[in-house]
């Protein structure tokens, strides 16, 4: 690893964190390679490939070969399940993240994202439907990644009476067209996360309208500590609560069927008119709360909650009724923001490795770099001023700090080896030219 001569060193702290995470699972050389890759991802922008990381960062300051980093990606991809549990286990040891979990629920956020790729040499690449039409086409040659994120409740520094959720990407899996469905993959990821979270912690599972189906719903039904808030299809069958008739025989499970448009809009804000009713659906065997929202253009959406508003602690003061449920669903947008940031600032979509293990291993290391960028301002006093900054500002600040440490460390090592000032001066010029080229 890059040696540092500074007392408060980002390089040293990142190395310590990664060593504490994986010391029981991986060898020391592999851990050092992971730390080096994380530092390179934080330090550089416009990452084109692993070779780009090596040419612009790793190769100049470490003696490892490029192939050793490809081997590390393969190793990480083969042990992905163990490594993800190691990270989540350590996060639950941080009082800063777990302080409000007795009062507020933990959130499981599930979604998937497409990554278009060119050519057929990537493993499991296939023509897939892109509902967002990122390339202007309905069908694209792409990989699809199912992601489960875990969100912890934290006090908002700007408004101490309010609570915001801090999202951590827990696991990401490549969808295999000939393998398990995305629903089953999402349910299996949630089951593994539950091993660390435990059966005592209240959890709310959140997703968009594609996921409220068999495997995901079965996961919610199988665990008493898991509730469900999600967007659902507008054509979902809705039924009134069954009435007791007093007659002999099995009572009805469902009441009279009604349409979503029959839900009366009883409140509104600057953007939406909203109404809510308690009813039955075919999704759950119990009564649920259905919320109908309509924007100013007349577009409507339906939301479902297995919890009443009174059973949810408010995220902001004086939140009432269905607005409280919608405030929790609004936290799901953090996973969409994460997809944008991991592709924009960590250039995840430009990966050139082709095997599933290496792609998932690279994604895991990118997630680790993303997590440390978000987490260091929360747990390190030296970086607390970055708490109110965006992801780009945090990454740039850490990048500048790492670059300064690289230059200072290399200069100190050169001074130890050479007493001739001309040699040291030439070394400084060489480092400066490499730094400008890498930026």
């Amino acid at each position: 690893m890059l040696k540092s001569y500074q007392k408060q060193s980002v390089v040293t702290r990142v190395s310590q964190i990664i060593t504490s995470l994986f010391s029981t699972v991986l060898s020391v050389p592999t851990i050092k390679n992971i730390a080096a890759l994380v530092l390179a991802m934080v330090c550089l922008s416009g990452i084109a490939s692993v070779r780009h990381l090596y040419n612009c960062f790793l190769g100049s300051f470490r003696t490892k070969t490029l192939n050793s980093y490809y081997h590390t990606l393969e190793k990480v991809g083969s042990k992905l399940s163990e490594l993800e549990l190691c990270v989540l286990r350590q996060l639950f040891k941080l009082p800063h993240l777990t302080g409000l979990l007795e009062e507020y629920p933990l959130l499981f956020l599930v979604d998937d994202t497409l990554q278009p790729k060119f050519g057929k040499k990537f493993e499991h690449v296939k023509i897939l439907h892109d509902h967002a039409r990122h390339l202007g086409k309905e069908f694209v040659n792409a990989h699809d990644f199912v992601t489960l994120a875990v969100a912890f409740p934290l006090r908002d520094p700007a408004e101490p009476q309010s609570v915001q959720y801090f999202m951590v990407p827990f696991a990401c899996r490549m969808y295999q067209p000939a393998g398990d469905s995305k629903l089953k993959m999402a349910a299996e990821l949630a089951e593994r996360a539950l091993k660390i979270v435990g059966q005592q912690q209240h959890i709310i599972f959140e997703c968009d309208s594609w996921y409220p189906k068999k495997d995901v719903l079965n996961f919610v039904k199988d665990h008493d500590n898991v509730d469900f808030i999600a967007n659902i299809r507008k054509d979902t069958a809705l039924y009134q609560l069954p009435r007791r008739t007093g007659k002999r025989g099995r009572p009805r499970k469902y009441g009279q069927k009604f349409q979503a448009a029959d839900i009366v809009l009883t409140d509104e804000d600057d953007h939406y008119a909203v109404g809510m009713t308690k009813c039955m659906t075919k999704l759950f065997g119990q009564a649920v709360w259905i919320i109908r929202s309509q924007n100013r253009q007349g577009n409507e959406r339906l939301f479902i909650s297995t919890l009443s508003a009174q059973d949810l602690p408010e995220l902001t003061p004086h939140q009432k009724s269905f607005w409280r449920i919608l405030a929790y669903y609004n936290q799901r947008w953090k996973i969409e923001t994460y997809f944008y940031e991991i592709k924009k600032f960590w250039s995840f979509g430009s990966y050139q490795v082709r095997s599933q293990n290496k792609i998932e291993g690279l994604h895991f290391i990118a997630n680790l770099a993303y997590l440390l960028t978000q987490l260091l301002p929360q747990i390190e006093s030296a970086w607390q001023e970055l708490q109110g900054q965006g992801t780009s500002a945090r990454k740039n600040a850490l990048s500048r700090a790492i670059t300064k440490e690289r230059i200072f460390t290399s200069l100190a090592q050169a001074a130890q080896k050479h007493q001739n000032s001309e040699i040291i001066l030439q070394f400084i010029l060489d480092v400066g030219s490499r730094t400008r080229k890498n930026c």
Side-chain angles (χ1 to χ4, degrees):
M1 197 58 244
L2 225 176
K3 184 178 179 181
S4 178
Y5 290 82
Q6 296 172 282
K7 292 183 179 179
Q8 293 184 338
S9 166
V10 178
V11 172
T12 302
R13 188 67 182 114
V14 169
S15 301
Q16 291 172 345
I17 291 173
I18 293 176
T19 300
S20 66
L21 288 174
F22 308 129
S23 59
T24 60
V25 181
L26 298 173
S27 65
V28 172
T30 301
I31 291 174
K32 288 183 177 181
N33 280 358
I34 292 174
L37 286 166
V38 167
L39 289 169
M41 287 183 175
V42 173
C43 194
L44 300 179
S45 58
I47 303 167
S49 62
V50 177
R51 182 181 292 276
H52 176 243
L53 293 176
Y54 184 81
N55 290 339
C56 295
F57 187 95
L58 302 170
S60 302
F61 295 90
R62 299 198 72 220
T63 58
K64 296 287 187 177
T65 64
L66 176 60
N67 282 340
S68 70
Y69 293 103
Y70 286 120
H71 177 74
T72 297
L73 295 183
E74 181 70 30
K75 191 77 171 179
V76 170
S78 65
K79 292 193 172 185
L80 208 52
S81 298
E82 296 177 71
L83 300 180
E84 290 163 347
L85 293 179
C86 287
V87 173
L88 189 60
R89 189 178 294 112
Q90 290 297 321
L91 289 174
F92 269 89
K93 294 180 180 180
L94 297 177
H96 184 81
L97 295 182
T98 58
L100 295 179
L101 285 181
E102 291 185 2
E103 182 180 355
Y104 289 85
L106 188 73
L107 302 185
F108 279 7
L109 312 178
V110 167
D111 205 352
D112 61 278
T113 183
L114 281 183
Q115 182 52 58
K117 303 302 292 184
F118 296 96
K120 295 292 185 180
K121 294 185 178 180
F122 294 95
E123 191 172 5
H124 302 308
V125 72
K126 192 173 182 179
I127 302 297
L128 299 172
H129 180 259
D130 182 9
H131 66 90
R133 301 196 177 192
H134 293 99
L135 298 181
K137 296 183 286 187
E138 188 173 359
F139 294 92
V140 293
N141 189 59
H143 282 138
D144 198 0
F145 295 93
V146 179
T147 300
L148 171 66
V150 179
F152 295 84
L154 300 179
R155 291 289 176 192
D156 190 342
E159 299 180 22
Q161 299 300 319
S162 301
V163 171
Q164 284 290 331
Y165 274 84
F166 177 78
M167 193 218 74
V168 175
F170 165 65
C172 178
R173 290 292 183 277
M174 181 190 294
Y175 167 65
Q176 302 178 31
D180 294 335
S181 69
K182 290 187 287 186
L183 295 171
K184 187 173 181 179
M185 292 170 66
E188 288 177 351
L189 293 178
E191 287 285 1
R192 288 201 299 103
L194 199 60
K195 294 178 181 178
I196 303 298
V197 177
Q199 299 290 340
Q200 304 303 316
Q201 174 63 50
H202 183 205
I203 297 168
I204 296 179
F205 192 105
E206 298 188 0
C207 57
D208 62 16
S209 59
W210 195 88
Y211 281 91
K213 300 183 182 75
K214 184 178 178 181
D215 294 289
V216 168
L217 295 179
N218 287 342
F219 168 78
V220 176
K221 295 172 185 177
D222 291 343
H223 301 283
D224 294 335
N225 63 319
V226 179
D227 281 293
F228 193 68
I229 296 178
N231 182 208
I232 57 175
R233 291 169 55 104
K234 291 186 291 185
D235 59 354
T236 299
L238 305 176
Y239 303 88
Q240 296 177 356
L241 298 178
R243 295 181 180 179
R244 293 286 183 178
T245 62
K247 297 180 180 179
R248 296 175 60 184
R250 183 179 67 82
R252 295 183 62 179
K253 293 177 62 177
Y254 303 98
Q256 185 176 356
K257 189 175 183 180
F258 67 96
Q259 302 297 320
D262 297 331
I263 302 175
V264 180
L265 303 175
T266 58
D267 200 1
E268 62 180 351
D269 63 5
D270 295 336
H271 305 286
Y272 296 96
V274 183
M276 181 173 71
T277 187
K278 187 177 182 180
C279 63
M280 300 293 294
T281 70
K282 294 293 181 71
L283 302 178
F284 290 94
Q286 64 189 54
V288 295
W289 283 261
I290 298 295
I291 299 173
R292 173 194 173 201
S293 72
Q294 184 182 78
N295 64 14
R296 297 306 180 198
Q297 289 73 42
N299 299 319
E300 295 193 358
R301 299 178 74 187
L302 280 185
F303 302 90
I304 187 172
S305 174
T306 57
L307 287 169
S308 67
Q310 291 72 26
D311 293 330
L312 287 168
E314 60 184 18
L315 298 180
T316 57
H318 312 300
Q319 245 176 2
K320 62 178 182 179
S321 188
F322 36 72
W323 296 111
R324 191 177 297 185
I325 296 175
L326 292 177
Y328 274 88
Y329 180 78
N330 191 49
Q331 301 299 318
R332 194 201 70 82
W333 191 253
K334 294 182 183 298
I335 196 171
E336 303 285 0
T337 304
Y338 153 75
F339 287 146
Y340 167 78
E341 292 176 342
I342 201 72
K343 294 178 181 180
K344 178 71 174 179
F345 303 125
W346 277 267
S347 306
F348 175 71
S350 62
Y351 59 85
Q352 299 298 319
V353 288
R354 297 175 179 177
S355 71
Q356 179 180 354
N357 276 352
K358 289 180 180 177
I359 294 172
E360 291 183 340
L362 184 63
H363 202 165
F364 174 80
I365 294 174
N367 282 343
L368 199 56
Y370 176 89
L371 173 59
L372 289 173
T373 304
Q374 302 294 325
L375 194 59
L376 281 177
Q378 303 283 346
I379 62 176
E380 296 291 330
S381 57
W383 298 98
Q384 283 184 354
E385 69 274 8
L386 294 176
Q387 284 193 25
Q389 302 289 332
T391 299
S392 179
R394 295 183 185 195
K395 185 177 185 293
N396 290 338
L398 292 172
S399 175
R400 287 192 296 269
I402 294 169
T403 301
K404 289 178 181 178
E405 290 177 23
R406 289 170 61 195
I407 296 173
F408 180 81
T409 301
S410 301
L411 177 60
Q413 290 174 342
Q416 289 177 344
K417 293 179 181 179
H418 305 287
Q419 294 182 355
N420 190 327
S421 59
E422 292 184 1
I423 297 176
I424 298 175
L425 178 59
Q426 184 59 45
F427 177 81
I428 294 173
L429 295 174
D430 292 343
V431 171
S433 65
R434 283 205 302 268
T435 302
R436 287 194 298 272
K437 181 178 70 174
N438 295 347
C439 293

